[in-house]
Amino acid sequence: MRLYRAFVVMSLVTGTPIAAIAAPPPDSAAARQEAERLNSLPPVRPPNAVRIDHSGRKEEGRGSYYARYFDNRKMADGNRMNPNSNIAASKSLPLGSVAKVTNLDNGKTATVKVEDRGPYVKGRVMDVAPKVASKLHMKEKGTVPVEVKPVTVPQPDGGVKLGAGAADATPQEIQRAVTMTRELTGSADTETAAK
C-alpha cells in the first residue's frame, strides 16, 4: 500500500507556496482516508480576504445568494451567472471545486460548483445561485449559517484532491464531482490519465 502525503514547500521570504507533492489519485483508498481525516477536523472560519485553500477542509460561516443584479454577469471563471444553475462563489475554494453546502438552520444540503469569487462581506463563506438558495430554503432570511464541505478540489499541479465532503459522498457522487472539476478546470489527473 502506498501512502500519500501532501507537502507544500513554502518560501521563507514571502510565505507563498513554491512547490507541492501531488495528492493521491481521487479513486484511491488513500484519497478516501484523507477525506475522512479532513472531515474529522473542525471547520475553518471564512477568511476576510481572498486566500485560496487547496486543503479540502470544511468551512463554516454565513451563506447568502446572488441578487438579481448579478444575473448573466461575467463570473471569475469567465462564464455568465445563470440563476437557474448550481454555481457558487467562494473566497477560499479554488475555481472548479465541487462542494456540499448545508444550511445549518434546517439541515438542507445542495451540491455546488465554485465558479466565482466572493462574497466580499466579513463572515460570509459562500454565495449561491438563486436555484440553490431555494433548495436550501434560505431565501426568506437572505443569509443563513452554512457548512461548506468540498468534495473535490483542483490542485496547483493539475490533479484533483478529495476534500472533507467526499467522506460522506457515494462513489457515484465522487466520480461526478471529479469529472465536473476536471471539466471546469480543463485538467486531467495524471495518474488516472496514464492508466
Side-chain angles (χ1 to χ4, degrees):
M1 177 171 125
R2 293 192 316 191
L3 294 176
Y4 294 88
R5 287 254 184 223
F7 293 98
V8 177
V9 179
M10 304 294 279
S11 165
L12 294 176
V13 177
T14 64
T16 58
I18 55 176
I21 295 175
D27 58 351
S28 70
R32 192 68 177 217
Q33 288 173 340
E34 174 64 4
E36 289 170 9
R37 186 190 71 79
L38 290 168
N39 194 39
S40 71
L41 296 173
V44 294
R45 289 289 183 197
N48 289 331
V50 174
R51 181 186 51 78
I52 306 305
D53 179 8
H54 294 272
S55 73
R57 294 266 315 257
K58 59 189 170 189
E59 296 179 292
E60 275 188 13
R62 305 288 297 171
S64 52
Y65 65 97
Y66 285 90
R68 290 184 129 201
Y69 170 79
F70 293 100
D71 289 5
N72 204 33
R73 288 195 160 221
K74 230 179 210 185
M75 297 182 298
D77 71 351
N79 292 322
R80 300 270 176 195
M81 204 294 283
N82 176 352
N84 296 311
S85 68
N86 65 335
I87 59 98
S90 171
K91 288 184 282 202
S92 58
L93 288 175
L95 297 178
S97 296
V98 175
K100 288 187 176 189
V101 182
T102 302
N103 178 340
L104 296 175
D105 282 345
N106 61 21
K108 302 279 184 192
T109 299
T111 301
V112 297
K113 303 179 293 184
V114 177
E115 295 190 47
D116 203 5
R117 287 282 164 244
Y120 298 108
V121 176
K122 186 176 180 176
R124 290 203 194 159
V125 68
M126 185 163 275
D127 270 341
V128 298
K131 175 185 172 182
V132 177
S134 293
K135 186 173 182 180
L136 295 173
H137 295 213
M138 64 187 288
K139 282 191 157 185
E140 283 182 23
K141 292 184 179 178
T143 63
V144 297
V146 295
E147 180 181 64
V148 178
K149 293 170 73 171
V151 178
T152 52
V153 181
Q155 298 298 293
D157 67 359
V160 177
K161 176 182 179 174
L162 297 186
D168 52 7
T170 67
Q172 294 81 12
E173 288 174 316
I174 292 171
Q175 186 55 50
R176 279 194 302 272
V178 168
T179 300
M180 197 176 305
T181 294
R182 287 182 179 149
E183 287 172 358
L184 291 170
T185 60
S187 69
D189 186 69
T190 53
E191 288 202 28
T192 305
K195 290 182 181 178

